[in-house]
Amino acid sequence: MKRTKIIITLGPALTRTKKLLKRAIAESDAVRLNFSHILSKDVQKNIELIRKIDVNIPIIGDISGPKIRIINLSGGKLEIKKGDIFTLKRTNLNFPEVFDSLKLNHDLLFDDAKLKAKIIKKNKDESIIKFLNKHILLERKAISFPHTHIKLSPLSEIDKEKIKIAVKTGIDYFFLSFVNDVKGLKELKSFLHSLKVNIPVIAKIETVGGVKNYKKIILNSDGMLVARGDLGIEMSLVKVPIIQKKLVEFANEHGKISIVATQVLDSMIENPTPLRAEMSDITMMIEEKVDVIMLTSETSIGKYPLRTLKYLERAIIENEKYYTKIKKDKNISICNNIFPQTAVIAKSMYLNSEENDSKIIANISRSGLTSLLVSKYRPRAKIVTLTDNKKTFRRVRLYWNTFPLFVSKIQMIPDSKILPILKNKFKLKPNNIVIISRDQPINKGKVTNSFAVYYLKKEKQKIIEKYPVSLDMSKCILCNKCVSICPFDIFKREKGEINIYNEKSCIKDKLCENICPKGAIKIYEK
């Protein structure tokens, strides 16, 4: 089973048939709705369509933000030759106020950087620009200003209308596009607060300003998404991979969700198999410890959406087989200044889990924060979030290697009753180790402040008799004291239990019998 999560983007390629959409949702971990291509009246319709197929899959609303476009072209297009001069008027921009930010000698990029131009003269309501290459420019194509700081509200009235509908219908996350600074994030969170909801906001970093202010942006958001498409237009393409690496690393260090998107398997929009370079790109994402990989055009308009999804899943699983075997740096620490106690518990559970090879790290949680922080250490154990909050149940599905389990009144249930639930759900075996975290006292604490380690006992008593040594495994707690004290290596720990070897070497001094805290060892004289 893969640990890195996958987001698919809804579009006509997936909605051709209900069966296709159902299979795609079953293979993915979250569904993205691109508000740029959805009318307000269709937001609720799309959310309800997804919920009918899977009521528990997280749904993400991608707020389009201020996408600047060329408008009011004579005849709807321009046929441009290199060196052509054009008068760009304030009325040629869908956001006229952007015109005030333009300056002499600034560059302009049209149509995803397919057409380049430079401002050679600037007036109050007109700018003379010179085109640097040949191109046919159609109306409503996007314009980027790589060297210009654009002052625009991140939320248009249409955006706010879509957000209201999405909130009412039960959206789980929001992506905010073109985040240049913290002001945009605060504006969205303030608007959500006015709607009396607390929905996680993930910042899409895709501009020069976003890269410049990435630390403050990430610290003030619930996660970040490296939007490599627009980022590759605004900045030199050769810088994008290193920027991606820096952003993912910083997000992970501070306990934030890290997502990478754009052209992950771009060739599969038209072709049934991916490029070798795309497979290498996915490998780099797994190595960089990306939490989530997002497919965009591949599943929204591509010819092979389901095949693309399966290729990505196979690539993730294959890479994770390799990277889970690599020795981890146990000195790393994940920061969380708001809940430092929970951050300490998360690291302690990770270290304990790696040392004892636990199978499950289960967190009883209202918010899912503990699971997110634990996931950043990349433990071998499966991370389980036990919650009675339906919103948390859906949201944690986006966390790396984290699986939700809904249990009513979970805060009231003692660990002794939780263990059988975990054992049955995840098919745990005798001698498997389980870690459970929670707030103490039960149902009175507010944050995770404790954890306990449990050894699942065998259902039947197992006594190992090898004269003169007897070991009762039903009493053994695997403390390893017998292993460490015996100079003849009679006791050896293997696969979650103690076995006896070299019993004829025993000198019957009974040191092991006396040191055993549970009386599981007996040494016979005859």
Side-chain angles (χ1 to χ4, degrees):
M1 184 178 290
K2 65 179 174 59
R3 302 175 181 215
T4 305
K5 302 302 179 73
I6 298 173
I7 299 173
I8 58 173
T9 300
L10 194 70
L14 286 178
T15 54
R16 289 198 299 264
T17 66
K18 188 175 180 180
K19 184 179 179 181
L20 176 62
L21 180 59
K22 190 175 182 179
R23 289 180 66 188
I25 288 175
E27 294 283 341
S28 59
D29 302 290
V31 181
R32 167 185 173 246
L33 301 180
N34 188 351
F35 285 1
S36 297
H37 303 300
I38 300 176
L39 298 174
S40 297
K41 64 183 180 69
D42 292 328
V43 172
Q44 181 174 344
K45 178 183 174 183
N46 279 283
I47 292 175
E48 289 176 348
L49 173 66
I50 296 164
R51 287 277 180 254
K52 284 179 181 178
I53 294 172
D54 187 347
V55 71
N56 293 319
I57 195 162
I59 302 174
I60 305 163
D62 193 339
I63 303 165
S64 54
K67 189 79 169 179
I68 305 164
R69 300 181 186 277
I70 185 83
I71 60 173
N72 297 327
L73 294 178
S74 178
K77 67 178 181 179
L78 286 176
E79 294 189 13
I80 298 160
K81 295 179 181 178
K82 182 178 179 180
D84 280 358
I85 304 297
F86 178 73
T87 302
L88 182 71
K89 300 177 181 179
R90 185 182 293 272
T91 55
N92 287 129
L93 302 177
N94 62 331
F95 291 95
E97 60 270 37
V98 170
F99 200 87
D100 298 323
S101 301
L102 303 184
K103 294 182 181 180
L104 190 65
N105 293 323
H106 276 198
D107 293 329
L108 285 77
L109 303 174
F110 297 85
D111 194 6
D112 292 341
K114 295 183 180 73
L115 175 63
K116 298 180 181 181
K118 185 179 286 289
I119 299 173
I120 58 175
K121 190 176 181 180
K122 175 75 166 60
N123 297 321
K124 184 181 179 180
D125 294 314
E126 294 182 347
S127 286
I128 308 300
I129 64 174
K130 182 179 180 180
F131 291 110
L132 304 181
N133 62 288
K134 181 181 177 181
H135 189 67
I136 296 176
L137 179 63
L138 302 177
E139 196 167 86
R140 296 205 60 79
K141 287 296 183 180
I143 313 175
S144 297
F145 307 88
H147 305 301
T148 308
H149 181 63
I150 305 297
K151 297 179 181 178
L152 280 176
S153 169
L155 301 178
S156 66
E157 290 305 313
I158 294 175
D159 288 332
K160 290 180 180 179
E161 184 183 346
K162 292 176 181 178
I163 291 168
K164 287 179 181 178
I165 296 169
V167 167
K168 185 179 178 181
T169 321
I171 204 84
D172 297 295
Y173 286 94
F174 281 114
F175 288 163
L176 182 59
S177 303
F178 303 105
V179 179
N180 288 306
D181 50 40
V182 176
K183 291 179 182 178
L185 286 169
K186 289 183 176 179
E187 186 174 334
L188 174 56
K189 289 189 175 185
S190 177
F191 181 67
L192 291 173
H193 183 71
S194 72
L195 300 176
K196 298 181 180 180
V197 292
N198 182 20
I199 296 175
V201 176
I202 293 173
K204 291 173 69 177
I205 298 180
E206 50 193 331
T207 64
V208 174
V211 172
K212 183 179 179 181
N213 300 310
Y214 78 90
K215 290 185 178 181
K216 288 183 179 179
I217 291 170
I218 292 173
L219 291 175
N220 284 275
S221 65
D222 298 286
M224 73 86 213
L225 187 153
V226 185
R228 303 186 297 185
D230 284 288
L231 194 58
I233 294 170
E234 292 251 334
M235 306 186 72
S236 171
L237 283 172
V238 297
K239 294 182 178 180
V240 172
I242 300 302
I243 291 169
Q244 172 181 310
K245 190 178 182 69
K246 285 170 58 179
L247 297 182
V248 170
E249 184 177 352
F250 188 83
N252 287 341
E253 286 174 353
H254 292 83
K256 307 290 184 176
I257 300 170
S258 58
I259 308 172
V260 172
T262 317
Q263 295 182 335
V264 176
L265 290 169
D266 195 63
S267 67
M268 292 192 72
I269 295 174
E270 295 291 337
N271 303 306
T273 54
L275 298 174
R276 278 70 170 167
E278 289 169 336
M279 292 290 101
S280 296
D281 184 30
I282 294 167
T283 297
M284 291 305 298
M285 292 183 208
I286 304 302
E287 184 180 7
E288 290 167 4
K289 299 181 181 179
V290 171
D291 293 326
V292 189
I293 299 174
M294 186 169 85
L295 296 171
T296 51
S297 300
E298 297 96 331
T299 58
S300 62
I301 60 170
K303 292 181 179 178
Y304 308 95
L306 197 61
R307 192 176 176 89
T308 303
L309 186 54
K310 287 186 176 293
Y311 255 111
L312 177 56
E313 183 178 23
R314 286 166 55 195
I316 288 171
I317 291 170
E318 198 62 35
N319 280 285
E320 286 175 345
K321 286 179 185 177
Y322 172 75
Y323 285 106
T324 51
K325 294 177 183 178
I326 294 177
K327 190 175 181 180
K328 301 179 182 72
D329 181 5
K330 295 184 179 180
N331 294 318
I332 61 171
S333 291
I334 307 303
C335 304
N336 190 290
N337 295 328
I338 300 175
F339 298 104
Q341 189 177 26
T342 304
V344 171
I345 292 291
K347 181 171 183 178
S348 298
M349 285 194 292
Y350 159 69
L351 292 173
N352 194 294
S353 173
E354 293 296 294
E355 186 70 26
N356 292 303
D357 193 24
S358 69
K359 301 301 178 185
I360 297 286
I361 300 176
N363 305 300
I364 300 169
S365 179
R366 297 179 182 89
S367 67
L369 174 63
T370 307
S371 293
L372 177 61
L373 296 178
V374 172
S375 74
K376 292 299 177 178
Y377 290 103
R378 298 301 193 258
R380 293 192 298 265
K382 189 188 298 292
I383 303 166
V384 178
T385 302
L386 295 133
T387 186
D388 55 8
N389 185 312
K390 290 183 179 180
K391 292 178 181 178
T392 299
F393 180 83
R394 291 196 298 266
R395 289 171 185 168
V396 299
R397 288 183 64 177
L398 212 56
Y399 303 168
W400 184 90
N401 196 32
T402 301
F403 303 87
L405 195 58
F406 188 89
V407 182
S408 297
K409 298 180 180 180
I410 184 64
Q411 303 290 342
M412 301 288 291
I413 301 175
D415 291 0
S416 59
K417 293 186 178 180
I418 291 173
L419 284 168
I421 296 172
L422 294 172
K423 186 177 180 180
N424 293 333
K425 180 68 177 178
F426 298 100
K427 299 179 181 179
L428 298 176
K429 298 177 180 179
N431 293 325
N432 280 169
I433 299 171
V434 176
I435 298 174
I436 300 177
S437 75
R438 68 187 316 147
D439 52 5
Q440 294 283 5
I442 290 179
N443 201 38
K444 292 183 179 179
K446 293 184 179 180
V447 296
T448 301
N449 56 15
S450 66
F451 72 92
V453 181
Y454 297 95
Y455 297 86
L456 299 183
K457 293 183 179 180
K458 290 200 174 187
E459 295 177 1
K460 294 182 180 179
Q461 182 175 338
K462 180 183 177 182
I463 299 177
I464 303 173
E465 295 273 7
K466 291 189 177 182
Y467 179 82
V469 185
S470 173
L471 174 62
D472 188 343
M473 283 303 299
S474 67
K475 296 179 180 179
C476 179
I477 60 171
L478 300 176
C479 64
N480 285 352
K481 288 184 178 180
C482 57
V483 176
S484 60
I485 201 171
C486 181
F488 303 106
D489 296 328
I490 293 173
F491 301 97
K492 288 186 180 180
R493 180 171 174 170
E494 298 172 328
K495 296 181 180 180
E497 62 181 17
I498 304 295
N499 283 315
I500 297 174
Y501 299 93
N502 305 321
E503 65 276 5
K504 293 182 181 180
S505 302
C506 180
I507 60 173
K508 305 178 184 179
D509 56 8
K510 297 192 177 183
L511 288 177
C512 55
E513 181 178 315
N514 295 332
I515 203 173
C516 180
K518 294 295 181 178
I521 299 173
K522 296 291 181 184
I523 302 297
Y524 298 101
E525 292 292 338
K526 294 182 180 179

